[in-house]
Amino acid sequence: MRKLSAVALAAAAVGMTFTGVAHAETNPKCPSGVTQIGSTKYLKNGDDTVASVKQFKGCNKNWAYIYVWDSWRANHRDFYLRAAIWTRTGSEAIDYNGGDRGQQAVWSTGASTLSQCTRAVGDVLWPSGHDLHGSTDERC
């Protein structure tokens, strides 16, 4: 019984280590903190989950956030990220920010759109032209 428990615990620890779960960072431009609004959008390349896109509110602004999962990034470094806030009525991003090559997480610059219907949009871009795009659900 004791041996089985040790094996089960070891297997659980290994399983947790390699899940590739995304973990959000603290928003560096909103030190008082942000709260996620809406659901998370997962960007996939085949069966691989590449990144998570989320929308947050805080500091009287909406924020888009994209995070590349550790499990995918372990084998990929040649990519760029973009994060943006779009409004229901807009034909272009209200708030946009792009990251450096291989940067794991990007926050948008913050949009003063709390009174509007918004969604966060995230992109993973490769120099080869293979891109992943996704947006969260709209929040009003």
Side-chain angles (χ1 to χ4, degrees):
M1 178 89 164
R2 204 177 271 195
K3 193 175 211 177
L4 181 59
S5 296
V7 170
L9 285 173
V14 168
M16 290 172 55
T17 303
F18 295 106
T19 59
V21 174
H23 300 284
E25 297 178 18
T26 302
N27 185 328
K29 297 176 185 170
C30 183
S32 62
V34 294
T35 302
Q36 182 175 348
I37 56 175
S39 60
T40 301
K41 173 67 176 182
Y42 298 99
L43 303 183
K44 294 187 170 248
N45 188 26
D47 291 335
D48 295 330
T49 302
V50 176
S52 301
V53 179
K54 300 178 180 185
Q55 182 176 192
F56 293 86
K57 67 177 182 176
C59 298
N60 295 313
K61 294 185 178 188
N62 288 104
W63 304 88
Y65 178 74
I66 184 168
Y67 179 91
V68 171
W69 284 28
D70 292 336
S71 56
W72 187 83
R73 189 171 179 255
N75 297 311
H76 301 87
R77 298 289 184 182
D78 197 17
F79 63 88
Y80 297 87
L81 300 179
R82 292 189 302 206
I85 293 290
W86 285 69
T87 63
R88 176 184 287 177
T89 58
S91 60
E92 60 185 45
I94 298 297
D95 170 44
Y96 164 85
N97 194 28
D100 295 329
R101 179 180 175 263
Q103 186 173 334
Q104 188 167 16
V106 171
W107 286 93
S108 65
T109 57
S112 297
T113 54
L114 288 178
S115 63
Q116 300 178 50
C117 297
T118 57
R119 59 190 158 96
V121 176
D123 302 311
V124 181
L125 311 166
W126 287 271
S128 65
H130 178 76
D131 304 332
L132 292 175
H133 308 280
S135 65
T136 63
D137 58 326
E138 185 178 74
R139 298 296 296 178
C140 296

